[in-house]
Amino acid sequence: MSRARTARRIAAGAAYGGGGLGLVGAAAVGLVLAEVQFAKRTVGTGLGDPPRADGLYGSEFGGPEQSPGPLRLGMLGDSTAAGLGVRRARQTPAALLASGLAAVAERPVELRNVALSGAMSDDLDRQAGLLLNDGSPAPDVCVIMIGANDVTRRMPPTQSVRCLTSAVRRLRMAGAEVVVGTCPDLGTIEPVYQPLRWVARRVSRQLAAAQTIGVVALGARTVSMGDLLGPEFAANPREMFGPDSYHPSAEGYATAAMAVLPTLCAALGLWPESDRLDVSRDEDMLPVAKAASAAAGQAGTEVTAARGPWVLLKHRRRRRVPGEDPTPPADSGTGTTAGSSPAGV
């Protein structure tokens, strides 16, 4: 079955209450159990909590008291969104995106990161509630990075997509733009060998495509995390992966943030490139399932709604993001510290 067809079935099951359509056949499960156990013992361990990055970025562009005030950025997801594996707050993807957004908008950005290490998609409703139910104005834009734990812990993909689309719908109804970084390609993890590497790549890309189909229909945009965004990871795994050989390093997070930033800015109408096709970069207008499948196989690709069942497949130019330390929040007692669970994605 093609990736596009499988993703379409998963998204349909999520939308209409279908059962747990599996991404891996039963015959493959026994074959990869030994590899799974080895991978669990080898990767994703030995890291402390990620640094807290909440606060005001781009303070040189004005303070919170100045009109129209800072842009509000919310970050949701798992340990990749939380920035697990780096030591400094400014190295987390949320901080990098907040700094980059402030530089493009020439306006301060107030960041709140509620991502949680180890989270699966069924935690997104709780995270969205933290952003929307604390009495503060709703975020102007939210970035969600989720999906890897759904694969490794074998959450039914229909349930995974259903939880994601529910959270996206809730954020959109509150007035927030939403950008989703889809499930990364777990076949890139160094200690994972064949046949698990092939299975991991297949199922994570299928989930990523299904996530795109589900959220684009709600007006969100997606960016393919793919092999954690580009050939840099394959060429320089020692630099791009952190000490656990699973989570990105500071350089890896910066590469990911550079790929997400153009879409984040475009969602707010700040990017100089319009939502038009650029044939010189192999952009296209496609049915959503085909676009979702293509994006899952090419890291850094954006999918955004166009008209009817058609969507734009975009390859925006990456822009290097600045890094800076945030101004500490006025009330450090509010908000949720990202990453308080045991190590996980």
Side-chain angles (χ1 to χ4, degrees):
M1 186 184 299
S2 70
R3 184 191 303 152
R5 185 178 177 188
T6 300
R8 188 165 54 240
R9 289 180 61 192
I10 293 169
Y16 299 109
L21 176 64
L23 289 173
V24 183
V29 174
L31 183 64
V32 302
L33 280 179
E35 291 284 354
V36 171
Q37 294 306 315
F38 174 78
K40 284 182 177 179
R41 291 194 302 269
T42 307
V43 303
T45 59
L47 298 179
D49 292 343
R52 178 167 178 160
D54 293 21
L56 186 69
Y57 292 76
S59 56
E60 67 271 23
F61 299 113
E65 71 283 352
Q66 295 186 3
S67 180
L71 288 167
R72 295 177 297 276
L73 169 62
M75 193 81 171
L76 307 86
D78 53 30
S79 62
T80 301
L84 187 66
V86 298
R87 297 180 179 180
R88 298 177 176 86
R90 66 173 181 267
Q91 296 174 323
T92 63
L96 291 167
L97 289 172
S99 296
L101 180 59
V104 173
E106 296 186 344
R107 183 175 166 188
V109 172
E110 184 71 34
L111 169 66
R112 187 170 180 203
N113 191 345
V114 296
L116 182 69
S117 294
M120 295 190 291
S121 293
D122 57 5
D123 191 54
L124 290 175
D125 183 67
R126 182 192 66 83
Q127 294 181 28
L130 291 174
L131 291 175
L132 300 177
N133 296 333
D134 65 349
S136 302
D140 296 294
V141 63
C142 292
V143 176
I144 302 174
M145 294 181 176
I146 200 75
N149 288 325
D150 297 14
V151 172
T152 60
R153 299 179 188 177
R154 300 180 64 188
M155 173 182 281
T158 49
Q159 179 185 352
S160 173
V161 174
R162 187 180 301 123
C163 292
L164 172 62
T165 54
S166 176
V168 170
R169 183 180 295 108
R170 187 175 177 185
L171 294 169
R172 294 285 293 146
M173 289 181 65
E177 299 292 338
V178 179
V179 175
V180 176
T182 56
C183 181
D185 183 351
L186 298 178
T188 62
I189 300 168
E190 276 197 306
V192 177
Y193 302 106
Q194 299 291 8
L196 179 58
R197 182 183 294 272
W198 178 85
V199 174
R201 170 165 286 121
R202 179 186 176 195
V203 300
S204 52
R205 288 185 177 185
Q206 286 177 344
L207 179 58
Q211 289 175 321
T212 292
I213 293 172
V215 305
V216 167
L218 300 174
R221 300 174 186 240
T222 64
V223 179
S224 170
M225 296 290 101
D227 54 0
L228 285 178
L229 302 170
E232 297 95 335
F233 277 81
N236 302 295
R238 296 293 187 274
E239 296 179 10
M240 294 298 173
F241 282 106
D244 67 346
S245 299
Y246 189 62
H247 294 90
S249 64
E251 293 82 1
Y253 281 128
T255 300
M258 280 180 8
V260 175
L261 178 62
T263 300
L264 175 63
C265 294
L268 293 170
L270 300 171
W271 202 246
E273 303 171 39
S274 64
D275 286 335
R276 296 180 182 176
L277 297 180
D278 186 338
V279 294
S280 69
R281 296 206 295 273
D282 296 322
E283 296 181 348
D284 206 350
M285 183 178 290
L286 297 169
V288 64
K290 282 191 174 183
S293 177
Q298 186 171 0
T301 303
E302 174 189 327
V303 178
T304 187
R307 56 178 180 269
W310 297 86
V311 298
L312 295 179
L313 194 71
K314 297 280 296 179
H315 304 293
R316 297 187 186 273
R317 293 186 178 90
R318 299 186 188 183
R319 176 175 294 187
R320 188 167 297 278
V321 295
E324 65 169 332
D325 286 314
T327 301
D331 181 5
S332 59
T334 61
T336 298
T337 302
S340 58
S341 75
V345 176

